[in-house]
Amino acid sequence: MASSFDLIREWDGSQARAFEEISYQLLRDRVPEGRTAIRTGNPDGGVEWYVTLADGSEHGWQAKHIHEFSALLGAMAASVRRVVEERPRLRRLTFVISTNLATSTQRGERKSQRQKYEDAVAHWKSSIPGAAALTFDLVQESDLLHELSKPSNRGREWFWWNHPVFDDAWLRRRHREQADAAGDRYQPELQVELPIQRDLEALGFASDAVDEFERMRTHVIAEARDLRLGPSRLRGPMAAPLRKVTEAAKALRTSAEAAGLRPSKDSRSLDALSVSLATFVQVARDAESREFDLEREARDRKGSDAGTLASSGLRYLFRELRESAEALGQWLRSPRGQALQTGLYFLAGAAGSGKTHLLLDAVNRALQDGRPAVFLAGGRFGRSDLWTAICDQLGLEPLGADILLGAMNSAGEAASLSGRRFVIAVDALNDGTEGDFWRNNLPALRTAVEDWPHVSLAVSCRDTYLDLVADERERSNFVQQSHPGFA
């Protein structure tokens, strides 16, 4: 299907924007191990994405979907000027283009397109102040098509070159169809705000959930950086506890600075941060307890008072950091924090409690927020295999898991510069036509979704059918919540 980038679907209203996105998706992993590609916004500082290397320098990528060769060179030169002005730490710039530069001369020309490009690079280095420090690389159409030909990119190829699917208009049509089919079970005019709605927003990697985490993480970093327990403090009976506080704070700061949150196949990517938070909180509490004991001993000692303890009140120096660490740790353990990390959610509730309404509302909110999501009715499963049934509800030809989920993953990643998750919401597993359908197929669906970082899964089930649909071991893979209904 992917024979030319001239045939790629539009994204955000243009093929140029689509080319930028597919270039990023195909090349973002070409960074050193342990480093992460970072998307830029608008203005982009001359690059679509970049990576910061161990020595502090940067490597940036700039995508260009321009056919006319002289216009392409002009756009490249403009990007070089912006890079040297706005990104002084950038040392390598890779241009990604949607054509192949000709290596032979045409129509009597003395130089080929490739030679003219190399001459342009030399000219930039000599004529643009600061460009001499840059190394230039080129990724062409054939390089990108080679990446697309890999089996792992079959879904991505189908998404970008097939008929437009999984964009906003397409997803809204699917939602209207499912809302109409739900009938009285979905009544927007009776909407009641519930805390679990915020869980489902986090499941889709909504900006407000990510921003909430980032605010708390940044606060912990700032408090750890400002902690001052110098040598004059580390004396007397509180010396040992305070040294432990200092060491734990340093480790916490390191973990927090390294813990950027992004959609990931690794649901335990924040484990190091969680451990550092718990360790610091425990060490801080131990130090506070030790200081309270010393103050009590001073008061109880005849002829003494609390003022005779030189180290009294030191707990106030690290109390804000302890409170910030506690708050972030509790948030990460909360259903909202867990939904953001794992991308798996299991909602149970009594009959008529509003599970269908909640999931349809969550999908609608996701679409309003620019996040892709679909609602699937559990009662329509069981007549065919799992993946055929999903495609049938979406009005697609049978695709198979890899292509379907790969396409959803591409849609989720393209939904914003920071990436979203494509939420698959399957309602009323207990309505399946075969009693053991979901007991056999839910593990397969969950494990398949877990392979794609930009896809998440929410399911609902009547509470009296839980053991029939999935045993406790399977349900434990999900964030489990109960719908309170009218309670």
Side-chain angles (χ1 to χ4, degrees):
M1 290 185 292
S3 59
S4 169
F5 289 99
D6 290 337
L7 302 177
I8 196 172
R9 68 184 294 175
E10 291 187 354
W11 193 255
D12 286 348
S14 73
Q15 282 189 325
R17 175 70 183 87
F19 180 71
E20 293 171 5
E21 186 59 42
I22 187 65
S23 297
Y24 170 74
Q25 292 186 12
L26 291 173
L27 302 176
R28 60 151 188 253
D29 291 332
R30 292 189 179 184
V31 298
E33 186 175 356
R35 300 289 164 174
T36 302
I38 301 172
R39 295 296 302 269
T40 57
N42 189 16
D44 60 15
V47 296
E48 314 292 353
W49 71 95
Y50 69 95
V51 62
T52 302
L53 305 178
D55 62 359
S57 66
E58 295 177 350
H59 178 183
W61 287 258
Q62 175 63 254
K64 300 291 186 186
H65 181 56
I66 300 174
H67 292 85
E68 206 278 314
F69 181 66
S70 60
L72 174 63
L73 290 182
M76 287 178 166
S79 293
V80 174
R81 293 187 185 95
R82 291 193 62 190
V83 162
V84 297
E85 291 174 2
E86 301 179 31
R87 293 190 173 276
R89 295 189 300 175
L90 196 135
R91 292 293 176 266
R92 182 179 291 272
L93 178 60
T94 298
F95 285 112
V96 186
I97 61 176
S98 58
T99 59
N100 288 324
L101 298 186
T103 56
S104 59
T105 57
Q106 297 178 353
R107 299 176 183 174
E109 294 183 347
R110 292 189 304 108
K111 292 186 177 182
S112 68
Q113 289 181 339
R114 183 71 193 210
Q115 290 171 321
K116 291 178 180 178
Y117 164 75
E118 291 171 353
D119 287 348
V121 169
H123 179 68
W124 300 335
K125 283 177 170 286
S126 63
S127 64
I128 300 177
L134 294 176
T135 299
F136 293 91
D137 297 317
L138 186 66
V139 176
Q140 303 183 85
E141 177 186 36
S142 57
D143 302 313
L144 294 174
L145 293 178
H146 174 72
E147 288 294 322
L148 272 172
S149 69
K150 296 178 179 179
S152 59
N153 286 321
R154 291 172 62 203
R156 183 169 285 125
E157 181 184 11
W158 184 89
F159 172 75
W160 287 106
W161 272 267
N162 208 306
H163 298 294
V165 294
F166 300 148
D167 59 8
D168 183 69
W170 191 94
L171 291 168
R172 287 181 183 276
R173 287 196 297 272
R174 300 288 85 77
H175 181 265
R176 285 196 298 270
E177 293 168 1
Q178 296 285 20
D180 290 343
D184 291 342
R185 292 188 295 171
Y186 179 54
Q187 301 185 55
E189 66 276 10
L190 298 182
Q191 172 65 27
V192 176
E193 297 299 310
L194 297 172
I196 50 179
Q197 288 165 324
R198 290 173 57 79
D199 297 350
L200 295 172
E201 291 172 358
L203 189 76
F205 226 73
S207 294
D208 63 341
V210 177
D211 292 346
E212 185 175 5
F213 167 79
E214 287 298 336
R215 285 194 299 272
M216 300 176 80
R217 181 178 75 99
T218 301
H219 190 56
V220 166
I221 293 171
E223 291 293 338
R225 184 187 298 118
D226 293 341
L227 182 62
R228 295 290 185 268
L229 294 175
S232 62
R233 306 282 191 183
L234 302 178
R235 295 172 183 168
M238 282 296 293
L242 291 178
R243 286 194 187 94
K244 290 182 179 180
V245 168
T246 301
E247 292 168 1
K250 183 178 180 180
L252 175 56
R253 177 182 171 183
T254 299
S255 296
E257 289 177 338
L261 185 63
R262 58 188 59 86
S264 170
K265 293 180 182 179
D266 181 10
S267 63
R268 311 191 69 82
S269 59
L270 296 181
D271 275 4
L273 175 59
S274 296
V275 170
S276 294
L277 288 166
T279 299
F280 179 81
V281 169
Q282 186 59 56
V283 168
R285 286 175 175 171
D286 289 345
E288 290 172 345
S289 178
R290 176 59 177 157
E291 188 174 53
F292 282 129
D293 289 343
L294 290 172
E295 289 176 348
R296 188 180 306 110
E297 292 173 5
R299 286 193 300 269
D300 292 343
R301 192 178 303 119
K302 289 183 179 180
S304 299
D305 57 46
T308 63
L309 182 62
S311 60
S312 181
L314 290 175
R315 59 185 175 274
Y316 297 110
L317 297 175
F318 55 83
R319 186 170 67 176
E320 284 196 34
L321 176 56
R322 192 257 298 162
E323 291 175 347
S324 298
E326 284 180 327
L328 179 54
Q330 291 169 1
W331 190 90
L332 289 173
R333 294 189 299 272
S334 72
R336 179 169 166 82
Q338 287 292 300
L340 188 69
Q341 295 173 73
T342 66
L344 298 170
Y345 200 83
F346 197 114
L347 179 67
S353 59
K355 299 182 296 298
T356 299
H357 176 98
L358 179 70
L359 291 185
L360 277 165
D361 178 71
V363 169
N364 184 51
R365 290 179 183 225
L367 298 179
Q368 291 177 352
D369 191 35
R371 295 180 283 110
V374 292
F375 176 97
L376 303 173
R380 293 180 59 183
F381 286 89
R383 303 181 182 90
S384 58
D385 73 86
L386 174 66
W387 302 105
T388 299
I390 293 175
C391 290
D392 180 63
Q393 286 202 53
L394 296 176
L396 303 173
E397 70 273 16
L399 296 174
D402 288 344
I403 292 180
L404 179 65
L405 294 177
M408 289 177 169
N409 191 73
S410 282
E413 189 170 16
S416 80
L417 291 176
S418 58
R420 307 291 195 194
R421 286 203 192 105
F422 192 120
V423 177
I424 305 172
V426 186
D427 181 50
L429 302 186
N430 49 279
D431 285 349
T433 57
E434 295 180 10
D436 61 351
F437 179 85
W438 286 111
R439 196 173 184 87
N440 296 328
N441 284 281
L442 183 59
L445 176 59
R446 172 185 55 79
T447 54
V449 165
E450 286 179 318
D451 284 338
W452 300 95
H454 292 276
V455 183
S456 59
L457 175 64
V459 300
S460 74
C461 181
R462 191 178 302 177
D463 52 14
T464 52
Y465 285 80
L466 288 177
D467 291 333
L468 178 64
V469 165
D471 58 30
E472 177 55 38
R473 181 177 180 181
E474 173 59 26
R475 300 200 301 273
S476 68
N477 292 297
F478 295 77
V479 177
Q480 298 183 69
Q481 281 285 75
S482 179
H483 195 300
F486 285 102

